[in-house]
Amino acid sequence: LPLGFKRSRSSFEWKRRLDKSNSQLIHLNFGFTGINPGFVSRFDDLAKLLPTDSGSVFQASRVLASITGVCYSMDTPPSSLVSDVLNSGLPELGRLSDREWVVTALRSNDPIVWPTPSRSHRIRLLPLILASRGEHHEALQWLSEFESSEGYIDQMVPNYRIFSEHFRSRFAV
């Protein structure tokens, strides 16, 4: 998989840098019964907005099966897998790198369209992207909305309270 991607010998991950703030990865995830390539767009500049112990999230991602609706087993012909990576995965990777597309998807109430593996990732990534674009007021509105969600248990460490405290100390108006 050339196209500007590079892979170290011992890795199942191909990387390419788009510019100083953005990079893309394709990772082969192997399980007991199958393989599911993952597509990741990293927003490297977001990592610098808050301290490393804040629980920030700075990437959008999807796995190939969620894009194509196909489960890939060890019996899947390699040519079929490669075709789906090139024809479905790479266009999705382009969308994942488009911050406006990512923000629109994260604003949705439908978890199917979120380019994140969980709600815990969504509630961190959306405010960070908005803040990076100077949209502090909207970012703080989303932060408050996410904090007031009834019955939600954050799945990440540190928890959302820690993230929101760091976020408010940096971006409160």
Side-chain angles (χ1 to χ4, degrees):
L1 178 75
L3 304 171
F5 287 92
K6 295 179 180 172
R7 180 182 72 88
S8 65
R9 289 182 188 251
S10 61
S11 173
F12 293 114
E13 189 170 82
W14 284 261
K15 300 177 186 180
R16 74 177 170 189
R17 178 153 294 291
L18 300 178
D19 55 41
K20 67 180 183 173
S21 298
N22 301 285
S23 55
Q24 296 177 327
L25 301 96
I26 299 174
H27 185 270
L28 298 182
N29 302 299
F30 291 95
F32 289 116
T33 61
I35 179 171
N36 199 3
F39 300 87
V40 178
S41 179
R42 289 177 47 117
F43 307 121
D44 300 315
D45 57 317
L46 298 185
K48 299 171 187 162
L49 295 179
L50 297 178
T52 55
D53 63 350
S54 67
S56 295
V57 169
F58 48 93
Q59 63 187 35
S61 63
R62 286 255 168 88
V63 292
L64 189 59
S66 72
I67 299 166
T68 63
V70 174
C71 291
Y72 301 93
S73 73
M74 297 304 177
D75 296 327
T76 302
S79 61
S80 175
L81 183 62
V82 169
S83 177
D84 285 352
V85 165
L86 294 174
N87 296 321
S88 299
L90 287 181
E92 184 72 6
L93 188 55
R95 285 185 285 279
L96 293 170
S97 298
D98 177 352
R99 292 183 193 211
E100 187 57 43
W101 183 89
V102 170
V103 165
T104 299
L106 292 173
R107 284 177 176 146
S108 171
N109 289 324
D110 183 0
I112 295 294
V113 302
W114 298 342
T116 57
S118 73
R119 183 177 188 275
S120 294
H121 290 81
R122 173 198 183 221
I123 64 178
R124 289 164 169 81
L125 183 58
L126 179 57
L128 280 172
I129 293 176
L130 291 170
S132 75
R133 300 183 335 180
E135 299 171 33
H136 300 163
H137 182 71
E138 183 181 354
L140 289 163
Q141 285 179 318
W142 280 103
L143 191 78
S144 294
E145 182 176 321
F146 293 147
E147 285 174 316
S148 67
S149 296
E150 298 277 334
Y152 175 70
I153 298 172
D154 189 21
Q155 301 169 347
M156 292 179 65
V157 175
N159 66 31
Y160 196 62
R161 183 184 55 76
I162 302 294
F163 171 81
S164 64
E165 287 172 1
H166 282 285
F167 191 91
R168 275 200 176 79
S169 71
R170 171 81 197 281
F171 296 108
V173 190

